[in-house]
Amino acid sequence: MFPKPKSVLVPNTYAFESEPMVKATGFREYDARWLFNKEINLMGIQALGMGLGVLIAELGAKQEIVTGHDFRGYSASIKYALISGFLAAGCKVHDIGLALTPMAYFAQFELDVPCVAMVTASHNDNGWTGVKMGANRPLTFGPDEMTRLKEIVLEAKFQNRGGGSYQFHENFPARYMADLTNRPKLKRKLKVVAACGNGTAGAFAPKVLEMIGCEVIPLDAELDYTFPRYNPNPEDLEMLHAIRDAVLANKADVGLGFDGDGDRCGVVDNTGEEIFADKVGVMLARDMSALHKDAQFVVDVKSTGLFVTDPVLQQQGAKTSYWKTGHSYMKRRTHELGALAGFEKSGHFFFNKPFGRGYDDGLVSAIAVCEMLDRAAGKSMADLKNALPKTWSSPTMSPHCADEAKYGVVDAVVKHFEAARKAGDQVAGQAIRDLVTVNGVRVTVEDGSWGLIRASSNKPELVVVVESPVSEQRMRDMFAAMDGVLRSHPEVGEYNQKI
């Protein structure tokens, strides 16, 4: 028998070394995230592996699984604890070693393995760990699977029949990089800054970009799990500003920034200006829909309104629908609709054939940006960006809100705006034109300005985004309106960044 996990144990005690600890809130909507040694211990990770083995069998998948780990000081030990759980549950384990998350997704296809469990905390700060999981390539778990996994693990409903096996795949990254670069070389000589924030992508991204024909200026590409300069997150202004400085200093054509596990890519143009990922998505959608008739796209609710209103996309017959934020939701929706691509404002992009296999890969996104520039003869990244209709949009802003409180706050905010619309109340001085409530609430007013409030799926935070096609002042008006509603909830704390 394996003991039932405790929600709290104190480190440096007998109990901490002898019992599993797993805090329930670590099971998120579509992956798992915990503060290591504060919310989960190694025996808890082992319990997670055993539980995942049970769930895979319940889902009818073959008990065979790919695993890898990101570059953090503790990720390898967490992976081996997870593997011990898989082996106890009777799984055949394929270990690809230090890897990017999309490398693990690629391995499911390359090794013909149905399941994946990638040890990564993605862009979260040091101290966090987690697992991205799936049992039906190219998809990853959603709320149903995560709820069931949580139940199995917390109730210790394990079926440890043993008989598992382990295989390490030596030099697997070479296979991944060969697959990515098996394409015609770029005709245009592009000078590219490849920023990795000292995270896992540093071992792979500069090399891949060189292999497709770019001149690469590596930035913070040396692996260092203390992340000495900034957290590898291309959505944070600190990393974007570092890329800007490198682009300007080197007169580069484009700056590409990769997050900690390499499934996202941020973009800075040749003038040093950051392009938010949703605008990059519009640019790529223009490029792709020019090549593919009646292209269909999926974008998340945090994304710009241009996907619907852009005259070029309309002229090229492109159709776009909005969906829930979150890499698993977006991946699944893009797959279900057979869309050419899905774009998420956080930088998770999902390319189906002929561009990709349906999963999010920051290097596939980076190659798509380079190929777009290759096709845009004589035009710079700034030219392509400036060709878009002008909008004023905020970065993703995240006020603190405890995991236990955030969904209740969002429910109340949704009800507030639904009641306001019914009553004909104005928001930021205008009537509400549209409410999208598939994921929190996206409020659009008459002039097309909009604001979004939703719960973060992987941090104790809310998410706020605003945009206006009219002016910077209207964007600020929308932020004031959204923030004003949030300030009526004492559970909502300070923002990580604000406009």
Side-chain angles (χ1 to χ4, degrees), residues 412-435:
V413 170
V414 171
K415 287 188 176 73
H416 168 88
F417 283 111
E418 285 175 338
R421 187 188 198 186
K422 202 171 180 182
D425 295 343
Q426 292 192 332
V427 173
Q430 295 194 6
I432 297 171
R433 188 181 84 195
D434 186 40
L435 283 184

Side-chain angles (χ1 to χ4, degrees), residues 212-472:
I212 65 164
C214 296
E215 179 188 340
V216 178
I217 295 109
L219 179 65
D220 304 317
E222 310 78 18
L223 297 186
D224 184 341
Y225 51 58
T226 65
F227 304 148
R229 290 198 60 203
Y230 44 75
N231 216 38
N233 182 7
E235 214 177 356
D236 283 355
L237 294 177
E238 198 174 358
M239 184 173 188
L240 288 166
H241 289 163
I243 301 171
R244 171 197 65 197
D245 295 345
V247 165
L248 294 174
N250 292 281
K251 295 185 169 58
D253 295 296
V254 68
L256 302 169
F258 302 93
D259 71 337
D261 66 333
D263 56 12
R264 292 188 296 131
C265 176
V267 180
V268 171
D269 74 17
N270 51 297
T271 70
E273 190 170 316
E274 308 98 16
I275 313 177
F276 292 127
D278 54 346
K279 298 284 179 70
V280 176
V282 176
M283 293 156 72
L284 288 171
R286 280 181 161 195
D287 180 55
M288 294 162 74
S289 60
L291 300 170
H292 298 271
K293 198 170 178 283
D294 301 324
Q296 192 170 0
F297 301 103
V298 179
V299 301
D300 78 318
V301 291
K302 286 162 50 178
S303 293
T304 177
L306 287 178
F307 282 103
V308 172
T309 60
D310 177 47
V312 174
L313 289 179
Q314 289 176 346
Q315 187 187 331
Q316 290 175 178
K319 294 277 184 291
T320 303
S321 57
Y322 286 88
W323 194 241
K324 298 176 185 179
T325 292
H327 64 87
S328 276
Y329 294 130
M330 287 289 297
K331 207 172 332 198
R332 194 165 295 234
R333 188 68 171 170
T334 305
H335 181 72
E336 284 169 356
L337 295 179
L340 193 58
F343 300 110
E344 194 181 3
K345 188 180 168 77
S346 65
H348 287 279
F349 291 171
F350 314 88
F351 295 98
N352 277 323
K353 288 178 179 175
F355 299 93
R357 293 183 179 84
Y359 53 78
D360 37 342
D361 185 334
L363 284 170
V364 172
S365 303
I367 291 167
V369 168
C370 292
E371 290 188 337
M372 172 177 70
L373 280 169
D374 199 38
R375 282 189 279 269
K379 288 184 180 170
S380 69
M381 196 72 192
D383 293 336
L384 296 178
K385 177 199 70 189
N386 293 335
L388 299 179
K390 175 75 174 162
T391 69
W392 289 261
S393 40
S394 74
T396 299
M397 302 173 286
S398 300
H400 185 270
C401 191
D403 285 323
E404 295 82 356
K406 65 188 182 185
Y407 293 105
V409 169
V410 170
D411 286 345
V413 170
V414 171
K415 287 188 176 73
H416 168 88
F417 283 111
E418 285 175 338
R421 187 188 198 186
K422 202 171 180 182
D425 295 343
Q426 292 192 332
V427 173
Q430 295 194 6
I432 297 171
R433 188 181 84 195
D434 186 40
L435 283 184
V436 177
T437 56
V438 293
N439 186 205
V441 63
R442 178 175 167 133
V443 186
T444 306
V445 297
E446 285 176 319
D447 68 2
S449 302
W450 60 268
L452 169 80
I453 295 173
R454 58 176 286 272
S456 168
S457 300
N458 49 33
K459 280 186 175 181
E461 294 173 343
L462 301 180
V463 171
V464 180
V465 182
V466 291
E467 181 184 57
S468 176
V470 179
S471 66
E472 182 181 348

Side-chain angles (χ1 to χ4, degrees), residues 72-327:
R72 292 174 189 259
Y74 43 84
S75 289
S77 60
I78 285 166
K79 182 184 71 178
Y80 291 122
L82 191 68
I83 287 171
S84 72
F86 293 151
L87 296 175
C91 295
K92 180 174 182 181
V93 179
H94 296 266
D95 184 358
I96 60 171
L98 180 69
L100 300 172
T101 294
M103 198 183 294
Y105 299 152
F106 166 72
Q108 289 177 272
F109 290 88
E110 177 75 1
L111 304 175
D112 193 21
V113 174
C115 306
V116 66
M118 174 68 193
V119 173
T120 177
S122 188
H123 63 278
N124 283 23
D125 298 330
N126 263 330
W128 287 90
T129 190
V131 186
K132 291 181 178 176
M133 297 163 273
N136 179 22
R137 66 190 181 210
L139 308 181
T140 40
F141 286 169
D144 292 346
E145 296 95 336
M146 291 307 298
T147 300
R148 178 60 185 145
L149 180 61
K150 175 179 173 179
E151 185 182 287
I152 294 166
V153 173
L154 297 185
E155 294 300 317
K157 294 178 178 174
F158 308 125
Q159 295 164 15
N160 291 341
R161 52 177 73 89
S165 65
Y166 173 86
Q167 183 177 355
F168 183 81
H169 293 268
E170 197 175 0
N171 298 326
F172 188 80
R175 293 162 75 171
Y176 166 73
M177 292 193 287
D179 180 75
L180 281 177
T181 57
N182 181 22
R183 60 184 69 233
K185 282 251 172 71
L186 300 173
K187 296 182 211 63
R188 183 174 174 181
K189 193 68 181 171
L190 294 175
K191 189 189 277 194
V192 177
V193 170
C196 305
N198 304 108
T200 324
F204 313 110
K207 208 174 292 183
V208 165
L209 291 167
E210 276 176 4
M211 287 166 78
I212 65 164
C214 296
E215 179 188 340
V216 178
I217 295 109
L219 179 65
D220 304 317
E222 310 78 18
L223 297 186
D224 184 341
Y225 51 58
T226 65
F227 304 148
R229 290 198 60 203
Y230 44 75
N231 216 38
N233 182 7
E235 214 177 356
D236 283 355
L237 294 177
E238 198 174 358
M239 184 173 188
L240 288 166
H241 289 163
I243 301 171
R244 171 197 65 197
D245 295 345
V247 165
L248 294 174
N250 292 281
K251 295 185 169 58
D253 295 296
V254 68
L256 302 169
F258 302 93
D259 71 337
D261 66 333
D263 56 12
R264 292 188 296 131
C265 176
V267 180
V268 171
D269 74 17
N270 51 297
T271 70
E273 190 170 316
E274 308 98 16
I275 313 177
F276 292 127
D278 54 346
K279 298 284 179 70
V280 176
V282 176
M283 293 156 72
L284 288 171
R286 280 181 161 195
D287 180 55
M288 294 162 74
S289 60
L291 300 170
H292 298 271
K293 198 170 178 283
D294 301 324
Q296 192 170 0
F297 301 103
V298 179
V299 301
D300 78 318
V301 291
K302 286 162 50 178
S303 293
T304 177
L306 287 178
F307 282 103
V308 172
T309 60
D310 177 47
V312 174
L313 289 179
Q314 289 176 346
Q315 187 187 331
Q316 290 175 178
K319 294 277 184 291
T320 303
S321 57
Y322 286 88
W323 194 241
K324 298 176 185 179
T325 292
H327 64 87

Side-chain angles (χ1 to χ4, degrees), residues 454-497:
R454 58 176 286 272
S456 168
S457 300
N458 49 33
K459 280 186 175 181
E461 294 173 343
L462 301 180
V463 171
V464 180
V465 182
V466 291
E467 181 184 57
S468 176
V470 179
S471 66
E472 182 181 348
Q473 186 54 50
R474 286 296 295 149
M475 173 188 75
R476 292 183 181 280
D477 292 345
M478 282 305 293
F479 176 66
M482 306 309 278
D483 186 52
V485 175
L486 287 180
R487 289 304 127 203
S488 67
H489 295 274
E491 307 96 319
V492 180
E494 289 304 307
Y495 285 81
N496 65 334
Q497 57 185 1

